[in-house]
Amino acid sequence: MNKKLLLSVFLMLMITFSFSQTKEELEAQKAEKQAEADKFQAEADALQAQIDALPGWRIGAFGTIGGSLSNFSKWYAQGAPNNQSGAIGFTVNAFANKIDEKYFWRNSLNTNLNWTKLDNKDDPNDSDDFEPTTDVFNLSSLYGRRLSEKWAVSGLAEYRTTILNNFNDPGYLDVGVGFTWTPITDLVVVIHPANYNFVFSSGDTVFDSSFGAKIVADYTRQIGKINFKTNLSAFQSYEDSNLSNWTWINSFAYTFWKGIGVGFDFGLRSNRQEAANFQGVDLDDADNDLQSYYTVGLSYKF
Protein backbone atom coordinates (compact mmCIF):
# COMPACT_ATOMS: atom_id res chain seq x y z
CA MET A 1 0.00 0.00 0.00
CA ASN A 2 2.84 2.33 0.94
CA LYS A 3 4.60 1.51 -2.32
CA LYS A 4 1.50 2.41 -4.31
CA LEU A 5 1.13 5.67 -2.38
CA LEU A 6 4.77 6.58 -2.94
CA LEU A 7 4.47 5.75 -6.61
CA SER A 8 1.37 7.96 -6.95
CA VAL A 9 3.08 10.89 -5.23
CA PHE A 10 6.14 10.43 -7.43
CA LEU A 11 4.04 10.42 -10.59
CA MET A 12 2.19 13.58 -9.49
CA LEU A 13 5.47 15.35 -8.80
CA MET A 14 6.80 14.31 -12.20
CA ILE A 15 3.65 15.60 -13.94
CA THR A 16 3.81 18.88 -12.04
CA PHE A 17 7.49 19.30 -12.83
CA SER A 18 6.90 18.51 -16.51
CA PHE A 19 4.00 20.99 -16.65
CA SER A 20 6.05 23.74 -15.02
CA GLN A 21 8.88 23.09 -17.45
CA THR A 22 6.48 23.28 -20.38
CA LYS A 23 4.95 26.51 -19.08
CA GLU A 24 8.37 28.11 -18.59
CA GLU A 25 9.41 27.04 -22.08
CA LEU A 26 6.23 28.50 -23.59
CA GLU A 27 6.67 31.77 -21.71
CA ALA A 28 10.28 31.97 -22.94
CA GLN A 29 9.17 31.36 -26.53
CA LYS A 30 6.46 34.00 -26.13
CA ALA A 31 9.00 36.52 -24.86
CA GLU A 32 11.24 35.84 -27.86
CA LYS A 33 8.36 36.29 -30.29
CA GLN A 34 7.22 39.46 -28.52
CA ALA A 35 10.72 40.91 -28.76
CA GLU A 36 10.74 40.14 -32.50
CA ALA A 37 7.27 41.70 -32.90
CA ASP A 38 8.37 44.84 -31.05
CA LYS A 39 11.41 45.09 -33.29
CA PHE A 40 9.34 44.77 -36.47
CA GLN A 41 6.73 47.25 -35.12
CA ALA A 42 9.47 49.80 -34.44
CA GLU A 43 10.78 49.33 -38.00
CA ALA A 44 7.23 49.71 -39.39
CA ASP A 45 6.71 52.90 -37.35
CA ALA A 46 9.99 54.31 -38.67
CA LEU A 47 8.91 53.57 -42.26
CA GLN A 48 5.51 55.18 -41.62
CA ALA A 49 7.26 58.29 -40.31
CA GLN A 50 9.25 58.47 -43.55
CA ILE A 51 6.03 58.07 -45.56
CA ASP A 52 4.34 60.83 -43.55
CA ALA A 53 7.27 63.15 -44.26
CA LEU A 54 6.89 62.77 -48.05
CA PRO A 55 5.22 65.61 -49.98
CA GLY A 56 1.58 65.09 -50.94
CA TRP A 57 -1.97 65.02 -49.64
CA ARG A 58 -3.01 63.59 -46.29
CA ILE A 59 -6.77 62.97 -46.04
CA GLY A 60 -8.69 61.38 -43.18
CA ALA A 61 -11.66 61.51 -40.84
CA PHE A 62 -12.83 60.11 -37.55
CA GLY A 63 -15.66 60.85 -35.15
CA THR A 64 -18.23 59.60 -32.67
CA ILE A 65 -21.81 58.32 -32.99
CA GLY A 66 -24.06 58.13 -29.94
CA GLY A 67 -27.72 57.33 -29.51
CA SER A 68 -30.46 55.80 -27.37
CA LEU A 69 -34.20 55.05 -27.62
CA SER A 70 -36.66 54.15 -24.85
CA ASN A 71 -40.40 53.62 -24.39
CA PHE A 72 -42.30 53.60 -21.07
CA SER A 73 -45.89 52.48 -20.53
CA LYS A 74 -47.61 52.94 -17.15
CA TRP A 75 -44.26 53.27 -15.40
CA TYR A 76 -45.77 55.07 -12.43
CA ALA A 77 -42.54 55.61 -10.50
CA GLN A 78 -41.65 58.53 -12.79
CA GLY A 79 -43.33 61.85 -13.48
CA ALA A 80 -44.40 60.92 -17.04
CA PRO A 81 -45.36 57.22 -16.84
CA ASN A 82 -46.19 56.99 -20.56
CA ASN A 83 -43.47 58.41 -22.78
CA GLN A 84 -41.07 57.83 -25.60
CA SER A 85 -37.61 59.35 -25.48
CA GLY A 86 -34.47 59.23 -27.53
CA ALA A 87 -31.20 60.90 -28.38
CA ILE A 88 -28.96 60.67 -31.39
CA GLY A 89 -25.82 62.58 -32.29
CA PHE A 90 -22.54 62.44 -34.13
CA THR A 91 -19.26 64.29 -34.49
CA VAL A 92 -16.97 64.56 -37.51
CA ASN A 93 -13.28 65.47 -37.52
CA ALA A 94 -12.03 65.58 -41.10
CA PHE A 95 -8.87 66.95 -42.65
CA ALA A 96 -7.28 67.38 -46.08
CA ASN A 97 -3.69 68.62 -45.89
CA LYS A 98 -1.32 69.31 -48.79
CA ILE A 99 2.29 69.18 -47.56
CA ASP A 100 5.13 70.35 -49.80
CA GLU A 101 8.75 71.29 -49.27
CA LYS A 102 8.04 74.98 -49.95
CA TYR A 103 4.45 75.37 -48.73
CA PHE A 104 1.51 73.72 -46.97
CA TRP A 105 -2.27 73.96 -47.22
CA ARG A 106 -4.19 72.58 -44.23
CA ASN A 107 -7.98 72.23 -44.27
CA SER A 108 -10.09 70.91 -41.41
CA LEU A 109 -13.74 70.39 -40.51
CA ASN A 110 -15.23 69.85 -37.08
CA THR A 111 -18.93 69.39 -36.50
CA ASN A 112 -21.01 68.07 -33.60
CA LEU A 113 -24.77 67.62 -34.08
CA ASN A 114 -27.23 66.13 -31.61
CA TRP A 115 -31.03 65.68 -31.43
CA THR A 116 -33.18 64.64 -28.46
CA LYS A 117 -36.84 63.69 -28.07
CA LEU A 118 -39.18 63.42 -25.08
CA ASP A 119 -42.77 62.63 -26.03
CA ASN A 120 -45.16 62.57 -23.07
CA LYS A 121 -48.10 60.53 -24.38
CA ASP A 122 -50.39 61.98 -21.71
CA ASP A 123 -49.73 65.55 -22.89
CA PRO A 124 -51.21 66.18 -26.36
CA ASN A 125 -49.56 69.62 -26.53
CA ASP A 126 -45.91 68.56 -26.18
CA SER A 127 -43.67 67.90 -29.15
CA ASP A 128 -42.98 64.36 -30.34
CA ASP A 129 -40.19 65.44 -32.70
CA PHE A 130 -36.45 65.12 -32.34
CA GLU A 131 -35.23 68.60 -31.40
CA PRO A 132 -31.65 69.79 -32.04
CA THR A 133 -29.70 70.27 -28.81
CA THR A 134 -26.03 70.36 -29.87
CA ASP A 135 -25.05 72.36 -32.93
CA VAL A 136 -21.37 72.98 -33.70
CA PHE A 137 -19.81 73.66 -37.10
CA ASN A 138 -16.25 74.84 -37.71
CA LEU A 139 -14.37 74.99 -41.00
CA SER A 140 -10.83 76.33 -41.44
CA SER A 141 -8.21 76.68 -44.18
CA LEU A 142 -4.57 77.58 -43.51
CA TYR A 143 -2.01 78.31 -46.25
CA GLY A 144 1.66 78.90 -45.55
CA ARG A 145 4.92 79.53 -47.44
CA ARG A 146 7.89 78.11 -45.61
CA LEU A 147 10.60 80.43 -44.30
CA SER A 148 12.42 77.53 -42.65
CA GLU A 149 11.75 73.98 -41.55
CA LYS A 150 9.57 75.11 -38.62
CA TRP A 151 8.38 78.62 -39.56
CA ALA A 152 6.16 79.90 -42.36
CA VAL A 153 4.38 83.09 -43.31
CA SER A 154 0.69 82.19 -43.47
CA GLY A 155 -2.90 83.21 -44.06
CA LEU A 156 -5.92 81.72 -42.30
CA ALA A 157 -9.66 81.71 -42.93
CA GLU A 158 -11.84 80.17 -40.23
CA TYR A 159 -15.65 80.04 -40.21
CA ARG A 160 -17.83 78.99 -37.28
CA THR A 161 -21.62 78.87 -36.93
CA THR A 162 -24.58 76.62 -36.18
CA ILE A 163 -26.40 74.81 -38.98
CA LEU A 164 -29.50 73.22 -37.38
CA ASN A 165 -30.78 76.41 -35.75
CA ASN A 166 -30.04 80.06 -36.59
CA PHE A 167 -27.60 79.38 -39.42
CA ASN A 168 -25.09 82.22 -39.64
CA ASP A 169 -26.94 84.08 -36.86
CA PRO A 170 -24.49 84.49 -35.38
CA GLY A 171 -21.72 83.40 -37.70
CA TYR A 172 -18.02 84.13 -37.27
CA LEU A 173 -15.42 84.50 -40.02
CA ASP A 174 -11.78 85.13 -39.09
CA VAL A 175 -9.45 86.26 -41.86
CA GLY A 176 -5.86 87.12 -41.05
CA VAL A 177 -2.16 86.86 -41.82
CA GLY A 178 0.94 86.25 -39.77
CA PHE A 179 3.16 83.27 -39.02
CA THR A 180 2.76 79.53 -38.41
CA TRP A 181 5.09 77.47 -36.23
CA THR A 182 5.34 73.68 -36.66
CA PRO A 183 7.82 72.51 -33.99
CA ILE A 184 6.90 68.83 -34.50
CA THR A 185 5.08 66.92 -37.23
CA ASP A 186 1.60 66.88 -35.69
CA LEU A 187 1.52 70.27 -33.93
CA VAL A 188 0.51 73.46 -35.76
CA VAL A 189 0.57 76.82 -33.98
CA VAL A 190 -0.87 79.85 -35.82
CA ILE A 191 0.15 83.34 -34.67
CA HIS A 192 -1.65 86.03 -36.67
CA PRO A 193 -1.34 89.56 -35.22
CA ALA A 194 -3.38 90.98 -38.14
CA ASN A 195 -6.84 89.39 -38.11
CA TYR A 196 -10.35 90.66 -38.68
CA ASN A 197 -13.20 88.89 -36.90
CA PHE A 198 -16.37 89.30 -38.99
CA VAL A 199 -19.53 88.60 -36.96
CA PHE A 200 -22.80 88.07 -38.83
CA SER A 201 -26.18 88.48 -37.13
CA SER A 202 -29.68 89.67 -37.95
CA GLY A 203 -31.56 92.48 -36.28
CA ASP A 204 -30.38 94.79 -33.51
CA THR A 205 -28.02 92.65 -31.43
CA VAL A 206 -24.89 92.97 -29.29
CA PHE A 207 -22.77 91.21 -31.90
CA ASP A 208 -20.06 93.31 -33.49
CA SER A 209 -17.02 92.74 -35.72
CA SER A 210 -13.54 93.91 -34.76
CA PHE A 211 -9.84 93.86 -35.57
CA GLY A 212 -7.45 91.84 -33.42
CA ALA A 213 -5.06 88.89 -33.12
CA LYS A 214 -5.77 85.23 -33.85
CA ILE A 215 -4.07 82.31 -32.09
CA VAL A 216 -4.69 78.70 -33.10
CA ALA A 217 -3.02 75.56 -31.74
CA ASP A 218 -3.91 72.20 -33.30
CA TYR A 219 -2.51 68.77 -32.44
CA THR A 220 -3.85 65.81 -34.42
CA ARG A 221 -2.28 62.38 -34.20
CA GLN A 222 -2.82 58.66 -34.60
CA ILE A 223 -0.93 56.22 -32.37
CA GLY A 224 -1.80 52.64 -33.24
CA LYS A 225 -5.53 52.24 -32.64
CA ILE A 226 -5.90 55.63 -30.95
CA ASN A 227 -6.91 58.81 -32.79
CA PHE A 228 -7.05 62.12 -30.99
CA LYS A 229 -7.31 65.79 -31.83
CA THR A 230 -7.16 68.93 -29.72
CA ASN A 231 -7.79 72.38 -31.17
CA LEU A 232 -7.67 75.75 -29.44
CA SER A 233 -8.87 78.77 -31.43
CA ALA A 234 -8.73 82.21 -29.77
CA PHE A 235 -9.41 85.75 -30.95
CA GLN A 236 -8.22 88.77 -28.96
CA SER A 237 -9.88 92.00 -30.02
CA TYR A 238 -7.75 95.16 -30.10
CA GLU A 239 -10.88 97.33 -29.89
CA ASP A 240 -12.75 95.87 -26.89
CA SER A 241 -11.91 92.84 -24.73
CA ASN A 242 -15.64 92.05 -24.57
CA LEU A 243 -15.45 91.14 -28.27
CA SER A 244 -12.77 88.49 -27.66
CA ASN A 245 -13.58 84.77 -27.66
CA TRP A 246 -11.99 81.33 -27.55
CA THR A 247 -13.05 77.74 -28.26
CA TRP A 248 -11.24 74.53 -27.24
CA ILE A 249 -12.42 71.26 -28.83
CA ASN A 250 -11.04 67.78 -28.03
CA SER A 251 -11.78 64.44 -29.70
CA PHE A 252 -10.60 60.95 -28.75
CA ALA A 253 -11.33 57.62 -30.46
CA TYR A 254 -10.11 54.09 -29.85
CA THR A 255 -10.61 51.61 -32.71
CA PHE A 256 -11.04 47.94 -31.85
CA TRP A 257 -12.57 46.41 -34.99
CA LYS A 258 -12.57 47.47 -38.66
CA GLY A 259 -12.64 51.21 -38.00
CA ILE A 260 -15.25 50.96 -35.23
CA GLY A 261 -14.52 51.67 -31.58
CA VAL A 262 -15.42 54.00 -28.74
CA GLY A 263 -15.11 57.78 -28.77
CA PHE A 264 -15.31 60.80 -26.53
CA ASP A 265 -15.61 64.47 -27.49
CA PHE A 266 -15.78 67.56 -25.34
CA GLY A 267 -15.59 71.29 -25.97
CA LEU A 268 -15.21 74.49 -23.97
CA ARG A 269 -15.96 78.06 -25.06
CA SER A 270 -15.93 81.59 -23.73
CA ASN A 271 -17.84 84.23 -25.71
CA ARG A 272 -19.32 87.27 -23.96
CA GLN A 273 -21.26 88.35 -27.05
CA GLU A 274 -23.15 85.04 -27.14
CA ALA A 275 -23.81 85.24 -23.39
CA ALA A 276 -25.13 88.82 -23.60
CA ASN A 277 -27.33 87.98 -26.58
CA PHE A 278 -28.84 84.96 -24.80
CA GLN A 279 -29.40 86.89 -21.56
CA GLY A 280 -30.76 89.98 -23.35
CA VAL A 281 -28.35 92.39 -21.63
CA ASP A 282 -25.48 94.70 -22.60
CA LEU A 283 -21.98 93.27 -23.01
CA ASP A 284 -20.71 94.76 -19.76
CA ASP A 285 -23.64 93.27 -17.81
CA ALA A 286 -23.40 89.73 -19.23
CA ASP A 287 -22.60 86.80 -16.96
CA ASN A 288 -20.02 85.13 -19.20
CA ASP A 289 -20.14 81.58 -17.82
CA LEU A 290 -17.95 78.90 -19.36
CA GLN A 291 -19.78 77.01 -22.12
CA SER A 292 -19.22 73.25 -22.49
CA TYR A 293 -20.47 70.06 -24.15
CA TYR A 294 -19.46 66.41 -24.39
CA THR A 295 -20.46 63.37 -26.47
CA VAL A 296 -19.76 59.69 -25.71
CA GLY A 297 -20.53 56.81 -28.05
CA LEU A 298 -19.30 54.54 -30.79
CA SER A 299 -16.45 55.89 -32.90
CA TYR A 300 -15.61 55.45 -36.55
CA LYS A 301 -12.53 56.04 -38.68
CA PHE A 302 -12.01 56.40 -42.42
Side-chain angles (χ1 to χ4, degrees), residues 139-175:
L139 181 66
S140 68
S141 182
L142 173 68
Y143 179 83
R145 297 291 297 185
R146 299 187 187 279
L147 301 175
S148 65
E149 181 181 355
K150 297 182 178 181
W151 285 94
V153 59
S154 57
L156 171 71
E158 181 184 77
Y159 178 67
R160 176 170 62 85
T161 186
T162 55
I163 57 178
L164 300 179
N165 279 326
N166 304 320
F167 175 72
N168 203 41
D169 186 19
Y172 303 86
L173 174 62
D174 281 288
V175 179

Side-chain angles (χ1 to χ4, degrees), residues 19-69:
F19 175 77
S20 62
Q21 270 193 322
T22 303
K23 182 180 179 181
E24 291 175 356
E25 291 173 356
L26 290 174
E27 288 179 343
Q29 293 177 17
K30 178 185 176 182
E32 292 178 1
K33 297 297 184 182
Q34 187 62 53
E36 292 179 3
D38 293 342
K39 175 185 175 182
F40 291 135
Q41 185 61 53
E43 293 176 355
D45 292 342
L47 291 173
Q48 185 62 51
Q50 295 180 34
I51 294 172
D52 293 339
L54 294 174
W57 282 96
R58 287 107 164 114
I59 300 174
F62 72 96
T64 303
I65 300 175
S68 66
L69 294 172

Side-chain angles (χ1 to χ4, degrees), residues 133 166 169-170 172 204-207 271-283 285-289 291:
T133 53
N166 304 320
D169 186 19
Y172 303 86
D204 185 14
T205 65
V206 297
F207 293 105
N271 190 313
R272 183 173 291 274
Q273 293 183 89
E274 292 178 351
N277 182 68
F278 179 78
Q279 297 163 18
V281 299
D282 294 333
L283 283 176
D285 298 327
D287 187 4
N288 189 25
D289 294 329
Q291 305 174 44

Side-chain angles (χ1 to χ4, degrees), residues 108-126:
S108 67
L109 167 70
N110 171 265
T111 185
N112 186 327
L113 305 177
N114 191 76
W115 297 261
T116 59
K117 167 186 176 180
L118 177 58
D119 177 22
N120 186 348
K121 299 176 184 178
D122 298 324
D123 183 0
N125 297 319
D126 75 338

Side-chain angles (χ1 to χ4, degrees), residues 12-285:
M12 291 178 64
L13 291 173
M14 288 296 295
I15 292 172
T16 303
F17 179 72
S18 299
F19 175 77
S20 62
Q21 270 193 322
T22 303
K23 182 180 179 181
E24 291 175 356
E25 291 173 356
L26 290 174
E27 288 179 343
Q29 293 177 17
K30 178 185 176 182
E32 292 178 1
K33 297 297 184 182
Q34 187 62 53
E36 292 179 3
D38 293 342
K39 175 185 175 182
F40 291 135
Q41 185 61 53
E43 293 176 355
D45 292 342
L47 291 173
Q48 185 62 51
Q50 295 180 34
I51 294 172
D52 293 339
L54 294 174
W57 282 96
R58 287 107 164 114
I59 300 174
F62 72 96
T64 303
I65 300 175
S68 66
L69 294 172
S70 64
N71 182 82
F72 288 89
S73 179
K74 299 180 176 61
W75 197 265
Y76 296 116
Q78 59 190 16
N82 303 294
N83 74 77
Q84 287 182 335
S85 63
I88 185 171
F90 66 90
T91 65
V92 177
N93 295 284
F95 64 89
N97 301 329
K98 179 67 162 56
I99 308 299
D100 194 84
E101 294 181 358
K102 296 182 179 180
Y103 70 92
F104 57 78
W105 184 23
R106 298 177 177 269
N107 305 277
S108 67
L109 167 70
N110 171 265
T111 185
N112 186 327
L113 305 177
N114 191 76
W115 297 261
T116 59
K117 167 186 176 180
L118 177 58
D119 177 22
N120 186 348
K121 299 176 184 178
D122 298 324
D123 183 0
N125 297 319
D126 75 338
S127 174
D128 58 356
D129 297 328
F130 280 88
E131 304 291 344
T133 53
T134 304
D135 195 354
V136 177
F137 181 85
N138 191 304
L139 181 66
S140 68
S141 182
L142 173 68
Y143 179 83
R145 297 291 297 185
R146 299 187 187 279
L147 301 175
S148 65
E149 181 181 355
K150 297 182 178 181
W151 285 94
V153 59
S154 57
L156 171 71
E158 181 184 77
Y159 178 67
R160 176 170 62 85
T161 186
T162 55
I163 57 178
L164 300 179
N165 279 326
N166 304 320
F167 175 72
N168 203 41
D169 186 19
Y172 303 86
L173 174 62
D174 281 288
V175 179
V177 294
F179 301 93
T180 295
W181 179 44
T182 52
I184 56 178
T185 302
D186 303 300
L187 176 62
V188 179
V189 180
V190 178
I191 308 168
H192 284 180
N195 182 92
Y196 199 82
N197 178 236
F198 295 92
V199 185
F200 308 101
S201 64
S202 62
D204 185 14
T205 65
V206 297
F207 293 105
D208 198 5
S209 304
S210 66
F211 184 71
K214 184 73 173 181
I215 303 293
V216 178
D218 184 280
Y219 187 71
T220 305
R221 190 175 181 185
Q222 176 180 347
I223 303 177
K225 297 181 179 181
I226 299 174
N227 288 272
F228 61 90
K229 175 185 179 69
T230 180
N231 179 280
L232 174 65
S233 178
F235 170 72
Q236 179 63 49
S237 175
Y238 294 148
E239 302 176 21
D240 187 343
S241 61
N242 287 334
L243 303 180
S244 303
N245 62 78
W246 61 266
T247 301
W248 184 32
I249 296 175
N250 301 269
S251 300
F252 172 89
Y254 178 80
T255 303
F256 55 77
W257 180 74
K258 293 185 178 181
I260 300 175
V262 293
F264 174 69
D265 294 79
F266 76 91
L268 300 174
R269 175 182 296 165
S270 176
N271 190 313
R272 183 173 291 274
Q273 293 183 89
E274 292 178 351
N277 182 68
F278 179 78
Q279 297 163 18
V281 299
D282 294 333
L283 283 176
D284 293 331
D285 298 327

